[in-house]
Amino acid sequence: VLHTSGTTGEPKGGVMTHDTLRFNVRNAIFAHSFRHEDVHLLVIPFFAPTASYSLLASTAYLGSCICIAPRPDVGEVIELLQRHRCTTFIGVPTLFHLFVSDPRAAGADLSALRLIAYSGSPMPVRTIGRLRERLPGISLHNFFGLTETISMTHVLPSINASDRPDSIGKLLPEVYTRVIDDQGNEVARGETGELCFRRENIIPCYWNRPGLLDESIEGDWFRTGDLARVDDDGFFYVQGRKKDMIIVAGQNVYALEVEKIIYTHEKVRDAAVIGVPATGVRAALGELVKAVVVPQPGETLTELDIKR
C-alpha cells in the first residue's frame, strides 16, 4: 500500500496486488531494458511508486544490484555512481539540474552508466542538452505513471529526448487510454482533454476506503484529473492538472505550459505557476497567472526578465 493524493487532494492508500506488481515489473523492464547485470542507483524515496514498484521490484525479479543513496546530495550521488559502477541513474528533474551544474560531475568516471531516466515534472531542454554534452552515448528516458495506474504507463525513448523533451512518450504494452472532454467524448488528436485509463490498468481499490476509487471511474475508464494531448505520431503530452487550469478572460491557460517556458531562461533554477483571482481594474479577467521563481545560485532575476 502506497499513499497518494493526486486525484482528490487528500492522502489515500493505493492497494497493489501481486498480479499488478508483476505487470508493472514487466513494463519497467521493457521500458528501460533492465537486465541482471545492472547496478541501479536509487535516489527516489521509498514511498514513491518508481522506487518500490519499479526499481526495487525489478531488481528482485532480475536478481540484479541496487545502491540506495541516503539523500539526494549531488556530491554523494557522484561518489556512489563511481564507487559502485552504477549502470542506471533514475531521479527527478531537479536532481539532474543540480547534477549537470556541479563541477564534480565533469571530472567523474561515469563510464559504467548507460541510462538516465527522469519523471515527476518537466525536464528543461537545456538540462537534456547538458546531459548529452557531459555523457554522450547515454540513454535518456522520460517516463510517466500514477500510483493508481500500477505505476508506469508511458516512456519516451532516448532517440526522442531532445526533439520531444516535453513529451511523456508513448504507451507501454497492454496500457489503454482515452483523452476526453467534459462531456466524456473523446477529443481529436492534438486537442487537450482529461487523460483516462481503462479499468484493468488501475489498482483494485484504496485501502479501507470502500467506494472512493469508484468516484473517479466512469464506465470502464478511470479519470485521472490530468490534462493531456496526443499528437499524430502517438506521443503524449501532459498539460497539467485539470484543477490547475487557469481561465483568463475565457481563455484556458495551462500552468504546466507556462512553467515550461519559464524554465527556458538560463538563470531559472525552479518555478511554480498558479492561478489567482483577478482584482481591481482587471477583475473582469476572472483569473491571473502567478509565477513563483527561484533563480540559479548567485544569479539575479527581475520580474521583467521573466515576463520577457
Side-chain angles (χ1 to χ4, degrees):
V1 178
L2 287 189
H3 282 72
T4 175
S5 58
T7 56
T8 64
E10 60 171 5
K12 60 267 183 194
V15 174
M16 180 73 95
T17 68
H18 189 73
D19 281 344
T20 54
L21 184 62
R22 288 194 304 144
F23 179 85
N24 184 63
V25 165
R26 288 197 304 272
N27 268 347
I29 292 170
F30 176 87
H32 299 312
S33 300
F34 288 157
R35 46 187 185 244
H36 168 70
E37 295 78 14
D38 273 325
V39 179
H40 306 290
L41 179 63
L42 175 59
V43 196
I44 302 166
F46 283 97
F47 58 74
T50 297
S52 294
Y53 295 163
S54 297
L55 268 179
L56 286 169
S58 298
T59 297
Y61 183 88
L62 291 171
S64 49
C65 247
I66 194 158
C67 171
I68 300 167
R71 62 191 65 81
D73 177 83
V74 175
E76 287 187 12
V77 164
I78 293 169
E79 197 272 327
L80 291 170
L81 285 168
Q82 293 185 100
R83 191 197 330 159
H84 297 288
R85 304 286 294 164
C86 295
T87 59
T88 80
F89 177 16
I90 298 177
V92 296
T94 302
L95 180 61
F96 293 111
H97 307 335
L98 300 174
F99 177 77
V100 295
S101 303
D102 196 301
R104 291 170 292 185
D109 177 10
L110 303 178
S111 55
L113 197 59
R114 68 171 183 85
L115 169 70
I116 282 178
Y118 40 90
S119 182
S121 63
M123 176 73 100
V125 178
R126 68 172 183 273
T127 303
I128 293 172
R130 294 180 72 182
L131 284 169
R132 287 270 194 236
E133 290 172 9
R134 289 275 181 91
L135 303 165
I138 285 183
S139 293
L140 299 178
H141 287 180
N142 190 10
F143 63 98
F144 179 81
L146 306 170
T147 304
E148 285 89 352
T149 60
I150 315 167
S151 201
M152 291 186 66
T153 59
H154 297 71
V155 69
L156 182 72
S158 185
I159 194 171
N160 301 115
S162 298
D163 63 355
R164 299 178 189 265
D166 53 343
S167 172
I168 58 171
K170 293 186 174 183
L171 288 170
L172 288 166
E174 299 180 63
V175 178
Y176 304 97
T177 65
R178 292 176 73 211
V179 180
I180 63 173
D181 60 22
D182 289 340
Q183 288 70 48
N185 302 310
E186 200 155 358
V187 302
R189 285 286 175 105
E191 292 185 8
T192 297
E194 184 174 2
L195 180 63
C196 301
F197 289 90
R198 207 154 77 184
R199 183 66 181 88
E200 63 204 71
N201 296 133
I202 302 301
I203 58 172
C205 62
Y206 292 123
W207 182 252
N208 285 339
R209 302 293 295 275
L212 183 60
L213 185 68
D214 295 336
E215 294 176 10
S216 299
I217 295 176
E218 290 185 9
D220 293 329
W221 298 92
F222 172 74
R223 301 185 67 145
T224 64
D226 285 321
L227 293 168
R229 63 180 176 85
V230 190
D231 68 16
D232 290 335
D233 297 317
F235 288 88
F236 283 69
Y237 302 80
V238 173
Q239 310 292 86
R241 297 287 296 162
K242 192 173 182 180
K243 65 181 181 181
D244 290 340
M245 187 174 71
I246 308 162
I247 302 177
V248 182
Q251 300 297 314
N252 294 345
V253 178
Y254 303 106
L256 192 61
E257 286 193 334
V258 182
E259 288 175 9
K260 288 175 183 176
I261 297 298
I262 294 174
Y263 271 123
T264 63
H265 197 294
E266 61 182 13
K267 293 183 179 181
V268 171
R269 176 175 176 175
D270 207 354
V273 168
I274 59 172
V276 294
T279 58
V281 295
R282 295 184 291 182
L285 296 176
E287 287 186 291
L288 296 174
V289 178
K290 179 175 182 176
V292 182
V293 180
V294 180
Q296 295 282 8
E299 298 288 357
T300 301
L301 278 168
T302 67
E303 185 177 339
L304 187 59
D305 292 332
I306 300 300
K307 285 184 173 180
R308 281 175 173 165

